Amino acid sequence: MRMTRSRLWFVLIVVCLALAGAGTGTLLLNADPSDAARPMTDLTFEDSEGNSVSLADFRGQAVLLNIWATWCPPCREEMPSLDRLQVELGGSDFKVVALSIDRSGLDAVRPFFAEIDIQNLDIYLDRPAASMTAFGVRGLPTTLLIDSDGRELQRWAGPKEWDSPEVIADIRGYLEPTTTSSRLDAASQ
């Protein structure tokens, strides 16, 4: 059987996706630490009251920005662990920001949060899905770790158990001041 060029590309893409998803199901996108700490584009979105919020409003605290949608099964799967992570690490120096790109906005997110008993995450809405373009997001869920100065430290594609001891240790490792300084020094060389 002779493969057409389009079928060959399809098979190649499927194999790459399978390899990328092997193991944890999450693809670490910034594997090179010197590439990690780069300034974020300021993005404006809405909170559950319809107020305008921007990433700059979170300066001074680290943010785990999770870009997701209610129609995305892996996003739905990881949401409870993000809620538990907010309990574990959340405070004046760290916040989980779950940013929904659902076009129906609050009408989609509020019932979903109620259905799975999300109590510790605020609702943030990006109905035009501007975050997808602004941050070069290629799939959902995508999660970005942003330091207190608004720089992206790390990016993950795919679902994760955000409240597992290993992931919490990884997040803390990225947020340690000496680690961040080392990354910035390496990036400037």
Side-chain angles (χ1 to χ4, degrees):
M1 176 175 133
R2 192 173 195 294
M3 268 195 184
T4 65
R5 180 175 280 169
S6 61
R7 181 169 284 185
L8 182 60
W9 276 110
F10 175 78
V11 169
L12 181 61
I13 289 170
V14 168
V15 168
C16 289
L17 289 173
L19 290 173
T24 63
T26 302
L27 179 61
L28 180 65
L29 297 177
N30 287 346
D32 178 10
S34 67
D35 186 39
R38 56 183 182 264
M40 295 287 297
T41 301
D42 194 25
L43 178 75
T44 302
F45 44 94
E46 292 180 0
D47 66 14
S48 62
E49 305 299 318
N51 299 313
S52 183
V53 180
S54 78
L55 282 179
D57 295 335
F58 298 100
R59 289 275 160 79
Q61 68 182 153
V63 170
L64 188 76
L65 177 66
N66 179 261
I67 301 168
W68 71 286
T70 58
W71 44 261
C72 163
C75 301
R76 296 173 68 93
E77 172 188 323
E78 76 174 356
M79 196 56 60
S81 70
L82 286 163
D83 192 51
R84 293 186 302 267
L85 180 66
Q86 178 61 28
V87 170
E88 179 74 24
L89 293 182
S92 61
D93 59 347
F94 183 85
K95 183 167 182 72
V96 175
V97 175
L99 183 60
S100 166
I101 63 164
D102 283 278
R103 287 187 183 174
S104 352
L106 201 54
D107 292 338
V109 177
R110 185 169 276 153
F112 171 65
F113 271 26
E115 173 189 329
I116 63 169
D117 199 30
I118 298 296
Q119 297 187 13
N120 304 293
L121 297 176
D122 295 324
I123 295 175
Y124 295 104
L125 308 166
D126 176 21
R127 285 185 284 202
S131 58
M132 299 287 286
T133 303
F135 304 134
V137 173
R138 294 184 181 102
L140 298 178
T142 293
T143 306
L144 292 74
L145 181 59
I146 304 166
D147 73 7
S148 59
D149 293 322
R151 296 175 300 214
E152 180 181 338
L153 298 177
Q154 194 55 266
R155 177 182 294 224
W156 297 270
K160 217 167 178 46
E161 272 305 309
W162 291 103
D163 62 332
S164 72
E166 300 82 21
V167 173
I168 289 172
D170 285 348
I171 290 171
R172 284 187 171 136
Y174 280 110
L175 295 176
E176 287 176 4
T178 55
T179 305
T180 303
S181 297
S182 299
R183 281 197 196 105
L184 292 174
D185 292 342
S188 65
Q189 293 177 353

